[in-house]
Amino acid sequence: MTSPPCIEPKPIGSQSFSDAGAAVAAIRDIYSGSVRFLRQHLARALSGSPPAGRCRAYYPRLSITTGTHAPVDSRLAFGFVAAPGTYATTLTRPRLFESYLNQQISLLIRNHGVPVTVDVSETPIPIHFAIGGDGLPESAGVLGDPESFGNLQATTVGGQTGEISPGFQFRDVFDVPDLSTISDSIANCEAETDTGPDRPLAPFTAQRVDYSLARLSHYTATEADHFQNHVLFTNYQFYVDDFIRFAGRALESDSGYSALVSPGNRIATRARDIAEPVDPLPQMPAYHLKREHASGITLVNIGIGPSNAKTATDHIAVLRPHAWLMLGHCAGLRNSQNIGDYVLAHAYVREDHVLDADLPVWVPVPALAEIQIALESAVESVTERPGFELKRIMRTGTVATIDNRNWELRNQSGPVQRLSQSRAIALDMESATVAANGFRFRVPYGTLLCVSDKPLHGELKLPGMASEFYRSQVGQHLTIGIRAMEIIREMPLERLHSRKLRSFDETAFL
């Protein structure tokens, strides 16, 4: 029996470019054409005219081929390929990543002196990802009115992908996400086993990026377009409340911040326009204080636990932020610490376990000097305690992260001995996970915690103590985190994205 023909867009030949802007424009044309093609055929299928065969369109592909070793500035951590050969990657959502692509492609062309090639890949775009937001002006129009478009997204993305009409099976006609081709093999330094003849050019393939963009929208109730390059993580709503208050003041001043985007993609450009939270809140609500060129600050309440911390960072990593910091509470382990003191992590004991398969526990997660200096400078500035006086309220040391919130209820001899041997000064449930995933995904990371209890010394987190602690310390802690991000924002990318985060055989793209 002969298979029905595969219906595809008109073929587009490969094109070479020595100008990054022109290359990005070509990538955008291929992607837009593929998405438009899929949406049009889906609309016809839903109207009762299914295609006569499999309907398929493909992601754009970017590649570079060099026959020589480039004389690259040894201070650089990115922007070049390691050895002669062909390097390639599939790409998605070029409007969202336009600035990133322009920057990375410009560096490639400049460092190697050869053009890049743009063509159509052999990787199909799953229909679920084709109907997501991509900045195309006809996002809703191709499929009818906005409400119908939303219903279609809920139907196809939500899993109802069987019969669209009698005898018409969705999967028989359109490609759906294929988990066998979506992995972190490149980031985990395992890519040589499954990337084919070309070596990877970027840390994530197009399908991996689209997968995370869809998850981000689900978990945070905001679109990826709103995320900023500087991300704060917290595990308490108190920080969110203070961030919203800070945003209101910033929008009414000459701060450079232009809007606050809240869950539900609610955009406020003035303090009085900031809306009440959506009900119910998403699992990990995100708030984006926007600034030109995505240089603002995103705050995500990841909740409690290493699993949430991994989930959030797994997906935000595809946006290639310039830094992420953990601002949370911890148990102080030293008798010399006081409730409300700060802990600047410079090492981590990883007993969270959620990343053991991706980043073995024997892999060290180093402190990054640029981030550490920014955090210490921010604490000094906000608390007005210069130099040696800072030691009265802040300790720098090892943070232990565990996966059992009620660890105090177990026999203490084992855990306490391990914590003492590690020289840990604080214990929490997220920081090592956030830092380890930053290391794994080459995103600069840091941790500044605030001591909220001292269980080894009889100071447990009880209701009265907690309320007083939150009132007195949360605002200052958040202010320090924001100030640190503003310091980081002024750093050149070449300095911020350290070579300490790069492996032997690294991708050219950040």
Side-chain angles (χ1 to χ4, degrees):
M1 181 177 177
T2 304
S3 300
C6 190
I7 304 168
E8 300 178 351
K10 183 179 178 181
I12 299 176
S14 63
Q15 306 169 75
S16 294
F17 298 97
S18 295
D19 175 76
V24 173
I27 293 166
R28 191 167 58 239
D29 288 344
I30 292 172
Y31 180 77
S32 298
S34 292
V35 168
R36 189 177 298 111
F37 175 86
L38 290 171
R39 290 178 176 176
Q40 289 171 342
H41 281 276
L42 179 58
R44 292 170 189 163
L46 293 174
S47 66
S49 301
R54 173 163 287 278
C55 185
R56 174 173 285 169
Y58 303 89
Y59 287 109
R61 173 181 177 270
L62 175 76
S63 64
I64 185 170
T65 300
T66 177
T68 61
H69 289 83
V72 177
D73 186 340
S74 64
R75 296 170 298 177
L76 296 176
F78 59 94
F80 58 91
V81 298
T86 297
Y87 299 76
T89 187
T90 51
L91 297 168
T92 188
R93 300 285 296 277
R95 292 180 186 274
L96 173 62
F97 291 100
E98 184 167 4
S99 177
Y100 169 76
L101 291 173
N102 267 302
Q103 177 196 59
Q104 303 304 307
I105 294 172
S106 292
L107 287 171
L108 273 178
I109 294 171
R110 185 181 74 193
N111 286 329
H112 291 282
V114 296
V116 296
T117 298
V118 175
D119 56 12
V120 180
S121 75
E122 296 180 355
T123 304
I125 301 178
I127 191 66
H128 301 66
F129 300 152
I131 65 173
D134 59 10
L136 293 182
E138 63 275 29
S139 288
V142 169
L143 298 169
D145 62 86
E147 183 177 354
S148 298
F149 180 64
N151 291 339
L152 175 68
Q153 286 183 302
T155 299
T156 55
V157 178
Q160 304 301 319
T161 54
E163 279 194 335
I164 291 181
S165 61
F168 174 46
Q169 292 290 331
F170 189 90
R171 291 171 181 265
D172 290 342
V173 176
F174 296 102
D175 290 289
V176 297
D178 180 3
L179 289 180
S180 69
T181 64
I182 301 175
S183 75
D184 284 325
S185 61
I186 301 174
N188 290 349
C189 303
E190 302 164 347
E192 66 274 9
T193 62
D194 60 0
T195 55
D198 300 329
R199 300 168 77 176
L201 184 62
F204 300 105
T205 62
Q207 278 207 59
R208 171 64 172 84
V209 172
D210 271 339
Y211 168 82
S212 278
L213 296 183
R215 287 294 179 93
L216 269 184
S217 178
H218 168 72
Y219 285 123
T220 70
T222 56
E223 292 299 326
D225 310 64
H226 298 306
F227 274 78
Q228 301 297 286
N229 282 323
H230 309 93
V231 183
L232 294 174
F233 296 111
T234 188
N235 49 14
Y236 283 98
Q237 181 64 29
F238 302 96
Y239 287 83
V240 173
D241 296 339
D242 262 35
F243 188 74
I244 292 171
R245 284 191 283 270
F246 171 84
R249 295 191 298 271
L251 294 179
E252 298 302 322
S253 66
D254 188 22
S255 62
Y257 296 108
S258 58
L260 175 69
V261 180
S262 304
N265 297 302
R266 298 180 176 184
I267 302 173
T269 57
R270 298 173 298 181
R272 65 175 178 268
D273 296 332
I274 297 175
E276 290 295 316
V278 294
D279 186 20
L281 276 173
Q283 183 175 347
M284 299 179 192
Y287 299 79
H288 314 281
L289 185 54
K290 301 184 75 169
R291 188 181 171 95
E292 190 177 18
H293 306 306
S295 62
I297 299 172
T298 288
L299 176 73
V300 185
N301 182 359
I302 58 176
I304 296 175
S307 180
N308 280 3
K310 178 183 185 297
T311 297
T313 49
D314 275 351
H315 300 314
I316 292 174
V318 305
L319 297 173
R320 312 313 295 144
H322 296 324
W324 61 40
L325 305 178
M326 180 68 203
L327 298 182
H329 299 165
C330 64
L333 300 179
R334 303 301 178 92
N335 197 37
S336 58
Q337 292 171 302
N338 295 311
I339 303 296
D341 281 358
Y342 295 113
V343 172
L344 175 58
H346 76 176
Y348 302 89
V349 174
R350 293 170 49 203
E351 294 195 0
D352 51 293
H353 301 303
V354 298
L355 282 168
D356 289 2
D358 294 299
L359 193 73
V361 292
W362 53 261
V363 176
V365 178
L368 304 181
E370 296 79 8
I371 303 294
Q372 300 297 96
I373 291 170
L375 281 167
E376 184 170 341
S377 298
V379 177
E380 186 176 272
S381 172
V382 173
T383 63
E384 298 181 343
R385 290 179 180 266
F388 193 63
E389 277 297 301
L390 197 58
K391 290 182 177 291
R392 293 186 185 276
I393 61 165
M394 187 180 81
R395 291 282 299 269
T396 300
T398 298
V399 170
T401 293
I402 60 170
D403 56 2
N404 177 10
R405 177 60 188 86
N406 297 316
W407 64 277
E408 303 102 319
L409 302 181
R410 297 184 62 83
N411 183 307
Q412 294 303 303
S413 58
V416 172
Q417 181 182 1
R418 291 199 305 276
L419 292 171
S420 180
Q421 288 173 326
S422 71
R423 312 302 195 265
I425 62 172
L427 182 145
D428 82 337
M429 296 189 67
E430 298 86 23
S431 293
T433 315
V434 170
N437 241 7
F439 180 85
R440 182 164 75 107
F441 291 131
R442 289 76 164 169
V443 176
Y445 52 86
T447 298
L448 183 72
L449 302 176
C450 195
V451 176
S452 60
D453 60 333
K454 295 169 58 182
L456 297 183
H457 308 285
E459 297 187 46
L460 302 179
K461 188 182 291 185
L462 302 174
M465 294 172 55
S467 297
E468 178 57 33
F469 165 73
Y470 295 140
R471 279 196 298 269
S472 62
Q473 287 300 110
V474 165
Q476 185 182 78
H477 194 190
L478 177 67
T479 300
I480 291 168
I482 292 171
R483 178 66 187 127
M485 283 305 197
E486 291 173 340
I487 294 171
I488 291 168
R489 183 169 63 212
E490 301 304 317
M491 294 182 185
L493 287 185
E494 293 81 1
R495 178 184 169 197
L496 181 60
H497 288 272
S498 170
R499 289 178 296 177
K500 290 190 287 292
L501 297 181
R502 313 294 278 180
S503 65
F504 292 166
D505 190 13
E506 193 58 69
T507 62
F509 279 23
L510 275 180

